[in-house]
Amino acid sequence: MKTKINSIIKDVLNEREIETNVEISEESKLRDDLGLDSFGLALLTVHIENEYGVDVFEDGIVTTVGEIYEIVSRSNDN
Amino acid sequence: MVEIRRGNISLVNFTELSDSILKELLIWRNDINIRSKMKSSVLINEEEHLSFVENLKKSKKSYYWLALRKNIKIGTVYLHLDDNEAEWGYYLAPDYIGSGLGLELGYESIHIFFEEFRIYQINGYVKTTNKENRNLQEILHFKLNEFKNNGLFHYYMSENDFKAMPKTYKEFKKTLFK
């Protein structure tokens, strides 16, 4: 699941033509470390929703990749 | 409390909010990351803020709403009516700036405006330096009028432009993929 989410993040970064040398990890901040802008974040949530049927913003704001892992993992458990 | 609901977004008029929520909104409004992007970036004190809300109760042209997404406070939206046109604007709460939620808030707000108010055009003014908001206006199908005044770009959406938009946020999101 984590590999798939990382791949989705990379796709969005490519789509937004955002170059980043940072390795995607649980601690990576979506905006500050990976450089996603607000539209990039909107796109990312759309991709995640399409793939896993989960609303990333269900509980409010998400700032790190780890938080996305957690939300998706929690939804898989339910 | 009267709410206007569409999709995940609800709008609650400032005039119906408690003093404690209004004080929270003042803190948002005065946050440097928010006011620096507004037409007027001066600090507002509590007295001015409460008096502004009091005046809204008498106005039939200006509407300011607290925006909630699934009952979580995420920002504010305004609409100024002027004959058959209107000016809109929004800001996200400081914690939500750059979160990506502006797109959903903007999409649902525009639908509420055209569906609930009899208007033929919505105008938006964005600081030329606010690249992200300019981008968002264009993604939301607003058109750029080349007119530039006081460092602001003028964006507009006609009723026909609106009618051509996908009817639900779910459909709209599908159009975002390249």
Side-chain angles (χ1 to χ4, degrees), chain A residues 14-17 31 36-39 41-43 45-47 49-50 55 57-62, chain B residues 8 69-70 72 95-101 103-104 132 135-136 139 169-170 173-174 176-178:
Chain A
N14 287 335
E15 207 171 320
R16 297 293 296 144
E17 296 171 359
R31 203 173 163 87
L36 281 164
D37 56 9
S38 51
F39 182 54
L41 282 165
L43 273 183
T45 59
V46 172
H47 281 287
E49 193 175 345
N50 279 355
D55 177 3
F57 293 123
E58 187 70 46
D59 299 326
I61 191 101
V62 280
Chain B
N8 292 326
R69 184 182 190 272
K70 297 187 177 177
I72 297 174
D95 287 348
Y96 285 88
I97 293 172
S99 63
L101 277 176
L103 191 64
E104 184 173 2
E132 287 207 20
N135 192 21
L136 183 127
I139 294 159
Y169 188 60
K170 197 174 178 182
K173 284 192 289 189
K174 288 181 193 161
L176 300 176
F177 297 107
K178 276 185 185 171

Side-chain angles (χ1 to χ4, degrees), chain B residues 15 19-20 24 27 74 79 90 99 101 106 109 119 123 142 177:
Chain B
T15 58
D19 281 0
S20 64
E24 191 181 345
I27 293 168
I74 62 163
L79 186 73
Y90 80 95
S99 63
L101 277 176
S109 298
I119 46 178
N123 303 299
F142 274 79
F177 297 107

Side-chain angles (χ1 to χ4, degrees), chain B residues 14 17-31 34 46 49-50 53 66-68 71-76 91-96:
Chain B
F14 275 20
L17 298 173
S18 66
D19 281 0
S20 64
I21 295 180
L22 288 173
K23 282 177 191 168
E24 191 181 345
L25 299 187
L26 177 62
I27 293 168
W28 293 0
R29 159 62 181 75
N30 281 339
D31 187 289
I34 290 175
E46 195 177 319
H49 183 60
L50 295 177
V53 175
L66 166 67
L68 301 106
N71 295 323
I72 297 174
K73 299 193 280 288
I74 62 163
T76 74
Y91 62 78
L92 290 172
D95 287 348
Y96 285 88

Side-chain angles (χ1 to χ4, degrees), chain B residues 50-68:
Chain B
L50 295 177
S51 149
F52 161 75
V53 175
E54 206 49 42
N55 285 331
L56 284 177
K57 291 178 184 169
K58 300 170 209 154
S59 173
K60 287 183 179 161
K61 290 192 166 187
S62 291
Y63 296 87
Y64 282 75
W65 294 279
L66 166 67
L68 301 106

